[in-house]
Amino acid sequence: MEIPVLHKDVQKYIAANLNSDLHSLLLKKSPFTDVSIQEIVQQIKGKQVAQKKFPFLLKDEIVFPPQLSLEQSSSDKTALYKSNILKGKKFIDLTSGFGIDAFYLSKNFEDVTLVEQNTELLKLVEHNWNVLHKKARFINQKLEDFLIENTENFDVIYLDPARRDLNRNKVFLLEHLSPNILEIQDKLLTLSKQVVVKLSPLIDLKYLTSVLKNVARIDIIAVKNDVKEVVVFLSKENSQDIKCHCINLESEESDLIFDFGSEENANSKFSEPEKFIYIPNNTILKAGIFNLISEKFNLKKLHPNTHIYTSENKINNFPGRVFEMEVIDGKEIKKKSQFNIISKNYPLKPEEIKKKYGLKDGGNDYLIFTQSKKGKIILKSV
Protein backbone atom coordinates (compact mmCIF):
# COMPACT_ATOMS: atom_id res chain seq x y z
CA MET A 1 0.00 0.00 0.00
CA GLU A 2 1.60 3.24 -1.21
CA ILE A 3 1.10 6.05 1.34
CA PRO A 4 2.57 9.39 0.19
CA VAL A 5 2.68 10.93 3.69
CA LEU A 6 5.22 8.24 4.65
CA HIS A 7 7.81 9.44 2.16
CA LYS A 8 11.00 10.45 3.96
CA ASP A 9 10.92 14.10 2.89
CA VAL A 10 7.26 14.43 3.99
CA GLN A 11 8.00 12.79 7.35
CA LYS A 12 10.95 15.13 7.83
CA TYR A 13 8.69 18.13 7.16
CA ILE A 14 6.08 16.78 9.60
CA ALA A 15 8.71 16.29 12.31
CA ALA A 16 10.00 19.83 11.82
CA ASN A 17 6.48 21.25 12.26
CA LEU A 18 5.22 19.21 15.23
CA ASN A 19 5.11 22.35 17.40
CA SER A 20 4.01 24.78 14.69
CA ASP A 21 0.76 26.73 14.83
CA LEU A 22 -1.54 24.50 12.80
CA HIS A 23 -3.93 27.30 11.78
CA SER A 24 -1.02 29.21 10.25
CA LEU A 25 0.35 26.06 8.67
CA LEU A 26 -2.98 25.37 6.96
CA LEU A 27 -2.71 28.73 5.19
CA LYS A 28 0.56 27.72 3.58
CA LYS A 29 0.99 25.81 0.36
CA SER A 30 2.20 22.24 0.62
CA PRO A 31 5.82 21.84 -0.53
CA PHE A 32 4.86 18.47 -2.02
CA THR A 33 2.92 17.77 -5.20
CA ASP A 34 1.35 14.51 -4.00
CA VAL A 35 0.56 15.46 -0.37
CA SER A 36 -1.75 18.32 0.56
CA ILE A 37 -1.15 20.65 3.49
CA GLN A 38 -4.40 19.27 5.01
CA GLU A 39 -2.95 15.74 4.97
CA ILE A 40 0.24 17.00 6.61
CA VAL A 41 -1.68 18.79 9.38
CA GLN A 42 -3.78 15.64 9.89
CA GLN A 43 -0.60 13.67 10.64
CA ILE A 44 0.71 16.38 12.97
CA LYS A 45 -2.58 16.41 14.89
CA GLY A 46 -2.48 12.63 15.08
CA LYS A 47 1.00 12.64 16.59
CA GLN A 48 -0.03 15.30 19.10
CA VAL A 49 -3.06 13.25 20.20
CA ALA A 50 -0.97 10.06 20.31
CA GLN A 51 1.50 11.66 22.73
CA LYS A 52 -1.32 11.91 25.29
CA LYS A 53 -3.72 9.08 24.42
CA PHE A 54 -1.73 6.25 22.83
CA PRO A 55 2.04 6.88 22.77
CA PHE A 56 2.68 3.31 21.58
CA LEU A 57 1.74 4.61 18.11
CA LEU A 58 4.58 7.14 18.01
CA LYS A 59 6.52 4.93 15.65
CA ASP A 60 7.85 5.33 12.13
CA GLU A 61 5.41 4.24 9.42
CA ILE A 62 2.27 4.79 11.57
CA VAL A 63 -0.43 6.83 9.80
CA PHE A 64 -3.15 8.78 11.60
CA PRO A 65 -6.80 9.29 10.55
CA PRO A 66 -8.88 12.52 10.54
CA GLN A 67 -9.62 14.28 13.82
CA LEU A 68 -13.08 12.76 14.38
CA SER A 69 -11.70 9.21 14.46
CA LEU A 70 -9.03 10.30 16.94
CA GLU A 71 -11.57 11.97 19.24
CA GLN A 72 -13.66 8.86 19.84
CA SER A 73 -10.69 6.49 20.16
CA SER A 74 -10.05 5.14 23.64
CA SER A 75 -6.80 6.01 25.36
CA ASP A 76 -4.29 3.21 25.81
CA LYS A 77 -5.01 3.33 29.55
CA THR A 78 -8.74 2.56 29.31
CA ALA A 79 -8.17 0.06 26.49
CA LEU A 80 -5.55 -1.77 28.56
CA TYR A 81 -7.94 -1.94 31.53
CA LYS A 82 -10.65 -3.53 29.36
CA SER A 83 -8.17 -5.97 27.82
CA ASN A 84 -7.40 -7.35 31.27
CA ILE A 85 -11.00 -8.45 31.85
CA LEU A 86 -11.92 -9.82 28.41
CA LYS A 87 -10.65 -13.22 27.28
CA GLY A 88 -11.64 -16.01 24.90
CA LYS A 89 -10.89 -17.57 21.52
CA LYS A 90 -12.80 -15.42 19.02
CA PHE A 91 -13.13 -11.62 19.26
CA ILE A 92 -14.83 -9.17 16.94
CA ASP A 93 -14.97 -5.37 16.98
CA LEU A 94 -18.00 -4.36 14.92
CA THR A 95 -17.13 -0.63 14.92
CA SER A 96 -13.35 -0.75 14.87
CA GLY A 97 -12.69 2.88 13.93
CA PHE A 98 -9.00 3.63 14.50
CA GLY A 99 -8.65 0.27 16.24
CA ILE A 100 -7.14 1.28 19.60
CA ASP A 101 -9.60 -0.78 21.66
CA ALA A 102 -9.36 -3.71 19.27
CA PHE A 103 -5.55 -3.63 19.42
CA TYR A 104 -5.54 -4.06 23.19
CA LEU A 105 -8.68 -6.17 23.65
CA SER A 106 -7.57 -8.71 21.08
CA LYS A 107 -4.39 -9.67 22.97
CA ASN A 108 -6.22 -12.46 24.85
CA PHE A 109 -7.86 -13.95 21.74
CA GLU A 110 -6.64 -16.33 19.03
CA ASP A 111 -9.01 -15.14 16.30
CA VAL A 112 -9.57 -11.40 15.77
CA THR A 113 -11.94 -9.65 13.35
CA LEU A 114 -12.36 -5.92 12.73
CA VAL A 115 -15.40 -4.58 10.89
CA GLU A 116 -15.38 -0.99 9.59
CA GLN A 117 -17.52 0.61 6.89
CA ASN A 118 -15.05 3.45 6.15
CA THR A 119 -12.81 1.97 3.46
CA GLU A 120 -9.91 4.41 3.79
CA LEU A 121 -9.91 4.21 7.58
CA LEU A 122 -9.84 0.40 7.53
CA LYS A 123 -6.93 0.40 5.04
CA LEU A 124 -5.06 2.74 7.35
CA VAL A 125 -5.71 0.52 10.38
CA GLU A 126 -4.64 -2.59 8.48
CA HIS A 127 -1.42 -0.83 7.48
CA ASN A 128 -0.72 0.21 11.09
CA TRP A 129 -1.39 -3.29 12.43
CA ASN A 130 1.07 -4.71 9.89
CA VAL A 131 3.65 -2.19 11.12
CA LEU A 132 2.95 -3.33 14.70
CA HIS A 133 3.10 -7.04 13.67
CA LYS A 134 -0.50 -7.58 14.77
CA LYS A 135 -2.71 -10.03 12.88
CA ALA A 136 -6.47 -9.77 12.26
CA ARG A 137 -9.14 -10.24 9.64
CA PHE A 138 -10.30 -6.88 8.26
CA ILE A 139 -13.83 -6.62 6.86
CA ASN A 140 -14.88 -3.48 5.00
CA GLN A 141 -18.65 -3.60 5.37
CA LYS A 142 -21.57 -1.90 7.05
CA LEU A 143 -22.30 -3.44 10.42
CA GLU A 144 -25.93 -4.06 9.49
CA ASP A 145 -24.94 -5.94 6.32
CA PHE A 146 -22.34 -7.95 8.20
CA LEU A 147 -24.93 -9.07 10.77
CA ILE A 148 -27.25 -10.25 7.98
CA GLU A 149 -24.57 -12.26 6.18
CA ASN A 150 -22.48 -13.51 9.11
CA THR A 151 -22.82 -17.13 10.24
CA GLU A 152 -20.05 -17.17 12.87
CA ASN A 153 -20.29 -17.03 16.67
CA PHE A 154 -17.83 -15.14 18.86
CA ASP A 155 -16.73 -15.23 22.48
CA VAL A 156 -16.84 -11.43 22.74
CA ILE A 157 -18.48 -8.83 20.52
CA TYR A 158 -17.30 -5.26 21.08
CA LEU A 159 -18.90 -2.03 19.86
CA ASP A 160 -18.12 1.65 20.22
CA PRO A 161 -21.07 3.36 18.47
CA ALA A 162 -20.53 6.71 16.77
CA ARG A 163 -21.80 9.49 19.03
CA ARG A 164 -22.40 12.19 16.43
CA ASP A 165 -25.40 12.75 14.17
CA LEU A 166 -25.37 13.63 10.48
CA ASN A 167 -24.59 17.25 11.37
CA ARG A 168 -21.68 16.09 13.58
CA ASN A 169 -23.48 17.17 16.74
CA LYS A 170 -22.86 14.98 19.79
CA VAL A 171 -25.68 12.59 20.74
CA PHE A 172 -26.02 10.37 23.80
CA LEU A 173 -29.25 8.32 23.75
CA LEU A 174 -28.76 4.80 22.45
CA GLU A 175 -31.44 5.18 19.79
CA HIS A 176 -29.52 8.14 18.31
CA LEU A 177 -26.17 6.36 18.09
CA SER A 178 -24.80 4.65 15.01
CA PRO A 179 -25.44 1.76 15.10
CA ASN A 180 -28.65 1.86 17.11
CA ILE A 181 -27.85 -0.68 19.83
CA LEU A 182 -31.52 -1.09 20.74
CA GLU A 183 -32.31 -2.40 17.26
CA ILE A 184 -29.52 -4.97 17.12
CA GLN A 185 -29.08 -6.11 20.75
CA ASP A 186 -31.14 -9.30 20.26
CA LYS A 187 -29.17 -10.24 17.15
CA LEU A 188 -25.85 -9.60 18.90
CA LEU A 189 -26.77 -11.93 21.76
CA THR A 190 -27.47 -14.75 19.30
CA LEU A 191 -23.87 -14.44 18.08
CA SER A 192 -22.05 -14.18 21.39
CA LYS A 193 -22.45 -14.92 25.08
CA GLN A 194 -20.97 -11.53 25.87
CA VAL A 195 -21.51 -8.17 24.17
CA VAL A 196 -19.47 -5.20 25.39
CA VAL A 197 -20.50 -1.64 24.47
CA LYS A 198 -18.45 1.50 25.13
CA LEU A 199 -20.62 4.58 25.74
CA SER A 200 -20.27 8.26 26.58
CA PRO A 201 -19.43 9.18 30.20
CA LEU A 202 -22.55 11.35 30.09
CA ILE A 203 -24.95 8.44 29.60
CA ASP A 204 -27.62 8.10 32.30
CA LEU A 205 -27.23 4.76 34.05
CA LYS A 206 -30.90 4.30 34.96
CA TYR A 207 -31.89 5.02 31.37
CA LEU A 208 -29.24 2.53 30.23
CA THR A 209 -30.60 -0.31 32.35
CA SER A 210 -34.18 0.50 31.38
CA VAL A 211 -33.65 0.13 27.61
CA LEU A 212 -30.96 -2.54 27.32
CA LYS A 213 -31.62 -6.25 27.80
CA ASN A 214 -29.46 -8.72 29.70
CA VAL A 215 -27.25 -6.11 31.36
CA ALA A 216 -24.83 -7.98 33.62
CA ARG A 217 -22.26 -5.33 34.45
CA ILE A 218 -21.54 -1.62 34.11
CA ASP A 219 -18.04 -0.15 34.44
CA ILE A 220 -17.53 3.56 35.06
CA ILE A 221 -13.92 4.22 34.03
CA ALA A 222 -11.98 7.34 34.98
CA VAL A 223 -8.35 8.29 34.44
CA LYS A 224 -6.95 10.51 37.20
CA ASN A 225 -10.52 11.24 38.34
CA ASP A 226 -11.71 12.27 34.87
CA VAL A 227 -14.54 9.92 33.82
CA LYS A 228 -13.70 8.81 30.28
CA GLU A 229 -16.28 6.17 29.43
CA VAL A 230 -19.11 3.95 30.61
CA VAL A 231 -18.84 0.34 29.47
CA VAL A 232 -21.87 -1.94 29.59
CA PHE A 233 -21.64 -5.75 29.46
CA LEU A 234 -24.57 -7.73 28.06
CA SER A 235 -24.64 -11.45 28.78
CA LYS A 236 -26.81 -14.39 27.70
CA GLU A 237 -26.28 -15.88 31.16
CA ASN A 238 -27.28 -12.71 32.97
CA SER A 239 -28.85 -12.93 36.43
CA GLN A 240 -31.14 -10.27 37.84
CA ASP A 241 -28.26 -8.53 39.65
CA ILE A 242 -26.22 -5.92 37.80
CA LYS A 243 -22.74 -5.32 39.16
CA CYS A 244 -21.41 -1.80 38.84
CA HIS A 245 -17.64 -1.21 38.95
CA CYS A 246 -16.21 2.24 39.75
CA ILE A 247 -12.63 2.39 38.43
CA ASN A 248 -10.24 5.34 38.81
CA LEU A 249 -7.12 4.51 36.79
CA GLU A 250 -3.74 6.09 37.52
CA SER A 251 -4.73 6.73 41.12
CA GLU A 252 -4.02 4.90 44.35
CA GLU A 253 -7.73 4.54 45.07
CA SER A 254 -9.42 1.18 45.45
CA ASP A 255 -12.04 0.04 42.95
CA LEU A 256 -15.59 -0.06 44.26
CA ILE A 257 -18.07 -2.76 43.22
CA PHE A 258 -21.74 -2.62 44.18
CA ASP A 259 -25.11 -3.97 43.14
CA PHE A 260 -26.84 -1.54 40.81
CA GLY A 261 -30.03 -0.30 42.44
CA SER A 262 -28.78 -0.77 46.01
CA GLU A 263 -28.67 3.01 46.50
CA GLU A 264 -32.47 3.05 46.69
CA ASN A 265 -32.47 1.09 49.95
CA ALA A 266 -29.44 2.79 51.52
CA ASN A 267 -29.58 5.54 54.14
CA SER A 268 -27.12 8.17 55.29
CA LYS A 269 -26.34 9.36 58.78
CA PHE A 270 -25.50 13.02 59.28
CA SER A 271 -23.02 14.88 61.41
CA GLU A 272 -21.14 18.13 61.79
CA PRO A 273 -17.50 17.81 60.62
CA GLU A 274 -15.35 15.40 62.60
CA LYS A 275 -11.60 14.86 62.32
CA PHE A 276 -11.50 13.35 58.81
CA ILE A 277 -13.24 14.60 55.67
CA TYR A 278 -13.95 12.46 52.58
CA ILE A 279 -14.70 13.61 49.03
CA PRO A 280 -15.76 10.79 46.65
CA ASN A 281 -14.08 10.56 43.26
CA ASN A 282 -16.01 11.27 40.07
CA THR A 283 -16.84 7.63 39.34
CA ILE A 284 -18.77 7.52 42.62
CA LEU A 285 -20.52 10.80 41.80
CA LYS A 286 -21.38 9.43 38.34
CA ALA A 287 -22.82 6.29 39.95
CA GLY A 288 -24.94 8.46 42.26
CA ILE A 289 -24.41 6.20 45.29
CA PHE A 290 -24.37 8.97 47.89
CA ASN A 291 -26.19 7.04 50.62
CA LEU A 292 -24.53 3.70 49.83
CA ILE A 293 -21.09 5.27 50.36
CA SER A 294 -22.20 6.44 53.80
CA GLU A 295 -23.41 2.94 54.73
CA LYS A 296 -20.56 0.97 53.16
CA PHE A 297 -17.78 2.94 54.86
CA ASN A 298 -19.70 3.88 58.00
CA LEU A 299 -19.35 7.59 57.24
CA LYS A 300 -21.66 10.50 58.01
CA LYS A 301 -22.75 13.10 55.48
CA LEU A 302 -22.53 16.80 56.26
CA HIS A 303 -25.78 17.70 54.49
CA PRO A 304 -28.34 15.93 52.22
CA ASN A 305 -27.09 17.98 49.24
CA THR A 306 -23.42 18.00 50.19
CA HIS A 307 -21.65 14.89 48.98
CA ILE A 308 -18.91 15.24 51.57
CA TYR A 309 -18.50 12.75 54.41
CA THR A 310 -16.83 12.72 57.80
CA SER A 311 -15.59 10.41 60.56
CA GLU A 312 -13.60 10.66 63.78
CA ASN A 313 -11.30 7.77 62.84
CA LYS A 314 -9.65 7.42 59.43
CA ILE A 315 -11.26 4.96 57.01
CA ASN A 316 -8.90 3.21 54.58
CA ASN A 317 -9.62 2.23 50.95
CA PHE A 318 -12.07 5.10 50.41
CA PRO A 319 -12.62 5.78 46.67
CA GLY A 320 -11.73 9.45 46.76
CA ARG A 321 -9.71 12.03 48.66
CA VAL A 322 -9.29 11.99 52.44
CA PHE A 323 -8.31 15.07 54.48
CA GLU A 324 -7.65 15.76 58.14
CA MET A 325 -9.41 19.10 58.68
CA GLU A 326 -10.79 21.54 61.18
CA VAL A 327 -13.62 24.07 61.03
CA ILE A 328 -12.45 27.69 60.92
CA ASP A 329 -14.04 31.12 60.81
CA GLY A 330 -13.66 33.19 57.66
CA LYS A 331 -11.97 35.89 59.74
CA GLU A 332 -9.09 33.47 60.40
CA ILE A 333 -8.15 33.34 56.72
CA LYS A 334 -5.10 35.48 56.07
CA LYS A 335 -4.91 37.41 52.81
CA LYS A 336 -2.28 36.36 50.27
CA SER A 337 -2.23 32.88 51.78
CA GLN A 338 -1.94 30.00 49.31
CA PHE A 339 -4.62 27.29 49.27
CA ASN A 340 -6.26 24.75 47.02
CA ILE A 341 -9.92 25.79 47.10
CA ILE A 342 -12.80 23.30 46.97
CA SER A 343 -16.38 24.58 46.84
CA LYS A 344 -19.27 22.12 47.14
CA ASN A 345 -22.89 23.07 47.86
CA TYR A 346 -21.71 26.61 48.57
CA PRO A 347 -22.92 29.90 47.02
CA LEU A 348 -19.49 31.01 45.75
CA LYS A 349 -17.28 29.35 43.15
CA PRO A 350 -13.53 28.87 43.83
CA GLU A 351 -12.57 31.91 41.75
CA GLU A 352 -15.07 34.06 43.64
CA ILE A 353 -13.78 32.74 46.96
CA LYS A 354 -10.18 33.57 46.06
CA LYS A 355 -11.20 37.08 45.07
CA LYS A 356 -13.27 37.64 48.24
CA TYR A 357 -10.53 36.48 50.63
CA GLY A 358 -7.52 37.62 48.57
CA LEU A 359 -6.11 34.12 48.28
CA LYS A 360 -3.49 32.64 45.98
CA ASP A 361 -4.08 29.32 44.28
CA GLY A 362 -1.99 26.20 44.87
CA GLY A 363 0.29 24.90 47.58
CA ASN A 364 -0.21 21.91 49.84
CA ASP A 365 -3.01 23.25 52.05
CA TYR A 366 -6.75 23.00 51.34
CA LEU A 367 -9.82 25.04 52.16
CA ILE A 368 -13.23 23.46 51.64
CA PHE A 369 -16.24 25.80 51.48
CA THR A 370 -19.44 23.82 51.94
CA GLN A 371 -22.57 23.35 54.05
CA SER A 372 -23.52 21.14 56.95
CA LYS A 373 -27.03 20.82 58.32
CA LYS A 374 -26.33 23.85 60.53
CA GLY A 375 -25.33 26.06 57.61
CA LYS A 376 -22.30 27.30 55.68
CA ILE A 377 -18.91 26.20 56.97
CA ILE A 378 -15.23 26.51 56.06
CA LEU A 379 -12.84 23.60 56.56
CA LYS A 380 -9.06 23.94 56.65
CA SER A 381 -6.56 21.11 56.27
CA VAL A 382 -4.53 20.35 59.39
Side-chain angles (χ1 to χ4, degrees):
M1 178 181 176
E2 177 69 15
I3 304 178
V5 294
L6 291 178
H7 293 168
K8 287 185 178 180
D9 52 348
V10 179
Q11 287 294 302
K12 186 176 180 180
Y13 185 83
I14 289 171
N17 285 279
L18 280 178
N19 298 314
S20 298
D21 180 78
L22 299 187
H23 294 290
S24 300
L25 193 60
L26 278 169
L27 298 175
K28 296 181 180 180
K29 184 179 178 181
S30 172
F32 310 102
T33 57
D34 55 349
V35 180
S36 69
I37 195 66
Q38 289 80 10
E39 291 173 302
I40 290 170
V41 169
Q42 177 177 310
Q43 296 310 304
I44 294 173
K45 283 183 178 178
K47 290 180 182 292
Q48 291 174 346
V49 171
Q51 286 177 341
K52 297 179 180 179
K53 290 184 72 174
F54 21 79
F56 78 97
L57 286 182
L58 292 173
K59 297 178 180 291
D60 294 338
E61 301 295 311
I62 294 295
V63 185
F64 295 95
Q67 185 73 15
L68 191 59
S69 295
L70 292 172
E71 283 179 6
Q72 189 158 328
S73 293
S74 293
S75 69
D76 57 353
K77 300 171 185 64
T78 59
L80 179 60
Y81 163 76
K82 286 175 285 190
S83 74
N84 289 329
I85 57 177
L86 292 174
K87 298 177 182 179
K89 183 177 180 181
K90 296 182 69 174
F91 168 85
I92 186 167
D93 187 336
L94 289 174
T95 55
S96 69
F98 190 40
I100 301 298
D101 273 327
F103 183 86
Y104 278 92
L105 271 61
S106 64
K107 74 175 188 176
N108 294 322
F109 295 84
E110 299 173 19
D111 186 291
V112 178
T113 303
L114 277 66
V115 178
E116 172 57 50
Q117 65 179 354
N118 184 321
T119 304
E120 294 305 313
L121 179 58
L122 189 65
K123 286 181 180 177
L124 183 153
V125 172
E126 185 171 3
H127 162 82
N128 289 343
W129 280 43
N130 287 332
V131 171
L132 296 167
H133 307 292
K134 187 79 170 175
K135 293 183 179 180
R137 178 172 46 146
F138 299 89
I139 298 177
N140 182 205
Q141 193 173 25
K142 285 186 177 181
L143 178 151
E144 292 82 1
D145 293 339
F146 174 82
L147 291 179
I148 292 172
E149 298 174 14
N150 172 68
T151 57
E152 291 185 72
N153 289 322
F154 303 89
D155 294 299
V156 174
I157 293 176
Y158 184 80
L159 300 97
D160 180 5
R163 297 189 289 274
R164 290 185 183 271
D165 61 17
L166 295 176
N167 297 317
R168 295 203 169 187
N169 297 314
K170 290 186 178 181
V171 293
F172 306 102
L173 297 179
L174 298 188
E175 54 265 38
H176 296 156
L177 304 184
S178 179
N180 182 338
I181 301 298
L182 303 185
E183 291 181 346
I184 62 173
Q185 58 181 321
D186 289 332
K187 176 63 175 178
L188 296 176
L189 286 168
T190 66
L191 302 177
S192 176
K193 292 181 179 180
Q194 187 171 39
V195 177
V196 182
V197 186
K198 171 189 166 184
L199 297 167
S200 163
L202 298 179
I203 195 82
D204 182 86
L205 301 187
K206 288 186 177 179
Y207 156 78
L208 193 61
T209 56
S210 71
V211 297
L212 282 177
K213 302 175 183 179
N214 295 78
V215 177
R217 170 174 171 172
I218 298 172
D219 283 16
I220 303 170
I221 308 173
V223 178
K224 294 181 180 178
N225 205 31
D226 183 8
V227 178
K228 295 296 186 181
E229 54 194 66
V230 170
V231 180
V232 60
F233 298 73
L234 310 182
S235 174
K236 278 184 180 179
E237 301 171 355
N238 177 42
S239 64
Q240 293 299 313
D241 295 329
I242 301 173
K243 295 294 182 182
C244 190
H245 295 235
C246 292
I247 313 294
N248 192 11
L249 302 175
E250 295 203 336
S251 76
E252 296 180 354
E253 297 169 8
S254 301
D255 300 343
L256 181 68
I257 303 172
F258 65 94
D259 291 330
F260 189 81
S262 55
E263 172 70 9
E264 296 176 8
N265 298 316
N267 294 293
S268 293
K269 294 179 181 178
F270 295 91
S271 169
E272 291 302 300
E274 296 181 342
K275 186 175 182 180
F276 292 96
I277 297 296
Y278 305 80
I279 300 179
N281 68 38
N282 286 331
T283 68
I284 303 300
L285 299 180
K286 172 64 183 176
I289 48 173
F290 309 122
N291 294 326
L292 189 63
I293 280 289
S294 177
E295 276 193 1
K296 190 173 184 67
F297 292 94
N298 195 25
L299 299 173
K300 301 156 193 170
K301 287 192 78 176
L302 299 185
H303 184 279
N305 298 322
T306 300
H307 305 313
I308 295 179
Y309 303 79
T310 190
S311 71
E312 190 59 36
N313 299 308
K314 188 175 182 180
I315 303 296
N316 296 318
N317 301 320
F318 180 78
R321 291 183 286 176
V322 183
F323 304 90
E324 186 175 350
M325 309 197 85
E326 61 182 0
V327 178
I328 65 169
D329 189 283
K331 296 176 183 178
E332 299 178 49
I333 301 175
K334 296 179 180 179
K335 287 192 173 184
K336 297 185 180 179
S337 296
Q338 192 172 31
F339 288 100
N340 296 290
I341 307 296
I342 297 173
S343 176
K344 287 185 177 291
N345 194 24
Y346 194 82
L348 300 179
K349 297 178 181 178
E351 289 300 322
E352 296 171 320
I353 290 169
K354 284 186 283 186
K355 184 176 180 180
K356 177 179 177 179
Y357 291 96
L359 299 174
K360 295 180 181 179
D361 197 19
N364 297 319
D365 296 322
Y366 282 80
L367 287 177
I368 298 178
F369 291 74
T370 187
Q371 289 191 56
S372 70
K373 276 196 165 184
K374 290 185 177 179
K376 292 182 287 185
I377 54 173
I378 303 171
L379 299 165
K380 178 181 175 294
S381 56
V382 176

